[in-house]
Amino acid sequence: MSKLSIQLLGPPKITWENKVISISRRVPRAILFYLAAQGKLIGRENLCHIFWAESSDKQARQRLRENLSRLRKNLPDPSFLITENNNISLDFDRIDVDLLAFEQLVETAGQIPWQFPNTELLPEHTYQTLTAAIAHWHGNQFLAGVRLPANPLLDNWLSSTSLRLEQRRTSILLRLNHHAYLAQKIDSALGFAHMVLETDNTNDEAH
């Protein structure tokens, strides 16, 4: 069976069997993006709190039920959304999320990239792992251009997640830049530097 693809590293995009899937309403779409970014089961209470903190518990649970129902109707297969007791998740065995793949590759690389000084080449497998991680970005900003429901908690989640991911992306790009330069892969080195400058034009190291 074809996997659902959810892209969050750049302008968000949902595809299935080479077709773009549209989630028409903002709240179900935001719930999908939030669940995709978490990569695990999330308690109903947590979702109610982050999306409807100012509503009563009864109202928040009702709104969650309504929006989960709308989300299921918009997905090509309703079973992509999983509910287990008071927990909600996506079926990550059948869904690819670029953010989760990026973080898995970064975890695979571990501390090795930072244990080697910039004046030394990385192990080749580490270089390839980090290059593969960066390839999951199709923009330079997490959820670029997305409009989430007006909500301070969601705003804080978006800004803190964006900052963490974009700082990690910049660090990796700069490390790849140093490696490529030392390996005399000048085109690659320039490419990595330009990717940094697209996000931060004042970055002295990239310049």
Side-chain angles (χ1 to χ4, degrees):
M1 181 179 290
S2 299
K3 284 193 172 185
L4 187 73
S5 172
I6 303 177
Q7 295 180 333
L8 306 176
L9 301 179
K13 185 178 180 181
I14 308 162
T15 55
W16 184 69
E17 294 186 341
N18 298 317
K19 297 178 182 178
V20 176
I21 304 300
S22 176
I23 309 296
S24 56
R25 291 179 177 245
R26 188 185 304 181
V27 175
R29 187 168 60 244
I31 291 174
L32 179 66
F33 294 155
Y34 184 81
L35 290 173
Q38 301 307 307
K40 60 183 179 181
L41 286 165
I42 302 297
R44 286 179 180 268
E45 290 184 1
N46 291 340
L47 282 173
C48 287
H49 177 67
I50 195 168
F51 279 88
W52 299 283
E54 297 180 358
S55 300
S56 68
D57 290 345
K58 183 178 180 180
Q59 288 175 328
R61 284 183 172 273
Q62 177 63 28
R63 290 176 181 175
L64 179 60
R65 284 194 297 271
E66 291 171 351
N67 282 284
L68 290 177
S69 177
R70 292 177 182 134
L71 177 56
R72 283 192 179 92
K73 291 177 181 177
N74 279 267
L75 292 172
D77 183 342
S79 66
F80 282 134
L81 186 63
I82 296 174
T83 55
E84 295 184 5
N85 298 321
N86 285 320
N87 298 309
I88 299 166
S89 180
L90 300 177
D91 186 352
F92 292 105
D93 291 333
R94 301 165 56 211
I95 297 176
D96 289 328
V97 181
D98 56 359
L99 165 58
L100 302 182
F102 168 75
E103 292 192 317
Q104 180 59 52
L105 287 166
V106 173
E107 183 178 338
T108 298
Q111 293 301 311
I112 292 176
W114 324 115
Q115 291 171 345
F116 283 77
N118 289 337
T119 53
E120 293 184 18
L121 290 169
L122 293 169
E124 184 60 25
H125 65 87
T126 301
Y127 174 74
Q128 295 298 334
T129 298
L130 293 182
T131 301
I134 289 298
H136 283 288
W137 287 78
H138 58 284
N140 52 32
Q141 183 182 357
F142 173 65
L143 287 178
V146 76
R147 294 180 61 202
L148 294 178
N151 180 322
L153 292 177
L154 276 178
D155 288 342
N156 289 339
W157 169 74
L158 179 61
S159 60
S160 62
T161 304
S162 297
L163 180 62
R164 175 179 64 82
L165 289 172
E166 290 155 26
Q167 286 180 338
R168 179 170 291 183
R169 175 179 180 268
T170 294
S171 296
I172 293 171
L173 285 170
L174 290 171
R175 189 63 190 89
L176 290 173
N177 166 268
H178 286 291
H179 173 95
Y181 179 76
L182 290 172
Q184 299 185 354
K185 300 176 181 179
I186 303 304
D187 288 343
S188 294
L190 287 171
F192 293 135
H194 282 300
M195 290 172 72
V196 173
L197 295 174
E198 287 173 359
T199 304
D200 179 10
N201 193 44
T202 64
N203 190 292
D204 291 335
E205 190 173 352
H207 277 294

